[in-house]
Amino acid sequence: MEGTESRSGTSSVVADWSLVFWTLCSVLLPVLITLWCSFQRSRRRVLIQDIFRKSKHDWHYTDLFGQPSYCCVCTQHILQGAFCNCCGLRVSEGCLKKADQLFLCKEIMMRSNGEAHSSMPHHWIRGNVPLCSCCMICKQQCGTQPKLCDYRCAWCQCTVHDECMMECLKTEECTFGEFRDLIIPPYYLSTINQMRKEKRSNYEKVLPFCRKHWMPVIILANTRSGNNMGETLLGEFKILLNPVQVFDLSKIAPAKALQLCTLLPCNAVRVLVCGGDGTVGWVLDAIDEMKIKGQERYIPQVAILPLGTGNDLSNTLGWGAGYAGEVPVEQILRNVMEADGVRLDRWKVQVTNKGYYNLRKPKVFTMNNYFSIGPDALMALNFHAHREKTPSLFSSRIINKLELDGERIELPNLEGIIVLNIGYWGGGCRLWEGMGDEPYPLARHDDGLLEVVGVHGSFHCAQIQVKLANPVRLGQAHTVRLILKSSKMPMQVDGEPWAQGPCTVTITHKTHALMLYHSGEQTDDDASSVSEQDHAREQTDEDV
């Protein structure tokens, strides 16, 4: 009996330890597998980043391609891998090193052997051609077979079938395709580089293709604007243009990027700013710096691709209130080519604090869109919590005195003042014209005049935006001066808000900016200002 009990006790202990062991295995094994997979994933990521860093291609990794894709090395169908933002190569993860060895990327500048070049051959990339593209030889659709097939030129975007590819096409001169007037050819930059070494600066004589209407474009994209749209646009523009023309403003300042204009013909460059009104103001400030440096003949004309929300300047110039990828990049470049030049007034806003012992320098801002005090600025500043603590911040009659061109204006009971330079305000509302029930001259952005209106409160602002009310029109002027009494108040210039104490605000004309106006599809509000824009363009042509 005792032996039997001892054996049963031993077997129960073994069973208990076996249960503990298998429980530990069931808990620890998934943890160890997860840790091992995480280590391998991080190790693989480090190796990929190392390849990306050493490569001449502009590789970007993706977990899922947006269209059927095939590796340019092993020709196998791939769902994930890397693609080059410049030449369009697509490869699997395991073929990255081979791709670097086998394929050259788009050259931003031709390798010079002491000879001047005026042309270059096609740069053919096999496979993954754009959908609905046609062969330049037989005019039939390319890329219809479910495999790596057909060729695309990385510069002119021409496509050709495998069976139509002839030896002569491999050495044929590339015309740079539809956007040749916008592209900076690699051989142009190599020639300019040689001229700089020889200390020659007559760059106008080096016009590519001997074209009279060459208008190279520079792309300045703010990847922090919009819903990550800037990052996508950078890649698409690099595919169509010379990568040297495309800049990421999160990595390089506009002032440095715009120095490329000094290597291009005078008064020929166009700049496309991809971002919000704040990004446009940043670029225009950099252009003003070029004027200070004596580079006025290299000043570019500026077009806008609006990212984010509240793009009132873009709306005024016909580029729309926002971009979410609904228009192909090719059409955007066509719009830039066809756009007309107009002028935009830029204004100096000087805020001088009051006080007997105030030794601080006045705050100085540059205004492109509008300046406001009161409810409109409050919404930008988001003072909801402060409102409960400081009710005086929102009391009426915060403006003691308003002077338009030196003449004092009698003010009604107002809570805010808005000073406009452009036609749109508040994300798409034409504030000065209002509902159009009274005859008022159209607001223009190039006449050296500011439009000054008043609002009774935030509810009045909301009524104006939905066209249920008009603002209190106070007048137009070349110079605006406001004297504010002793209480803190919300204030903004072009959407940049702050809380301001008693002060004097003076707004005077600063300079003009050269902009591009796109006369595309118009809304009912835009139709009312067509004559205004036509007049502005005619005036610009006369000045030129």
Side-chain angles (χ1 to χ4, degrees), residues 22-61:
W22 289 111
T23 302
L24 287 174
C25 287
S26 63
V27 172
L28 293 177
L29 189 60
V31 173
L32 292 174
I33 292 174
T34 302
L35 290 174
W36 183 81
C37 292
S38 178
F39 170 75
Q40 291 295 328
R41 193 181 299 112
S42 61
R43 181 171 173 269
R44 185 185 67 181
R45 191 180 298 116
V46 169
L47 292 174
I48 291 175
Q49 290 299 326
D50 185 58
I51 295 174
F52 286 3
R53 187 172 60 253
K54 295 178 181 178
S55 176
K56 292 183 179 180
H57 289 275
D58 185 16
W59 293 117
H60 285 260
Y61 190 82

Side-chain angles (χ1 to χ4, degrees), residues 172-300:
E172 183 183 67
E173 179 182 332
C174 181
T175 62
F176 292 92
E178 179 184 1
F179 303 113
R180 55 187 174 272
D181 286 340
L182 299 179
I183 295 174
I184 302 176
Y187 59 78
Y188 174 85
L189 292 176
S190 61
T191 305
I192 294 298
N193 189 44
Q194 186 64 32
M195 292 178 68
R196 293 183 71 184
K197 291 179 181 178
E198 298 171 1
K199 297 183 179 180
R200 292 186 292 155
S201 58
N202 52 338
Y203 303 147
E204 293 85 355
K205 297 181 179 180
V206 195
L207 287 176
F209 329 110
C210 298
R211 298 185 64 84
K212 295 181 180 179
H213 304 292
W214 187 44
M215 51 178 80
V217 66
I218 296 175
I219 309 296
L220 304 179
N222 187 352
T223 54
R224 297 173 183 172
S225 296
N227 188 19
N228 201 29
M229 186 60 64
E231 192 74 36
T232 304
L233 288 169
L234 280 174
E236 293 183 358
F237 282 123
K238 284 181 180 179
I239 288 286
L240 296 174
L241 305 171
N242 190 331
V244 78
Q245 300 172 241
V246 185
F247 296 92
D248 183 353
L249 293 183
S250 66
K251 298 178 180 178
I252 185 170
K256 191 171 182 180
L258 288 171
Q259 287 306 300
L260 179 59
C261 297
T262 62
L263 304 180
L264 299 168
C266 302
N267 304 317
V269 182
R270 297 192 167 196
V271 169
L272 176 62
V273 181
C274 307
D277 286 349
T279 305
V280 177
W282 189 19
V283 172
L284 295 182
D285 288 340
I287 291 175
D288 285 345
E289 292 178 17
M290 293 178 66
K291 296 177 183 177
I292 296 173
K293 294 177 182 177
Q295 299 174 343
E296 293 171 344
R297 57 187 182 142
Y298 300 113
I299 296 300

Side-chain angles (χ1 to χ4, degrees), residues 20 37 84 97 195 214 232 261 367 405 431 440 454 531:
V20 170
C37 292
C84 178
K97 286 188 177 181
M195 292 178 68
W214 187 44
T232 304
C261 297
M367 182 186 81
D405 290 336
L431 186 61
Y440 277 90
S531 59

Side-chain angles (χ1 to χ4, degrees), residues 306-318:
L307 304 180
T309 57
N311 300 289
D312 290 307
L313 178 56
S314 171
N315 218 354
T316 299
L317 296 174

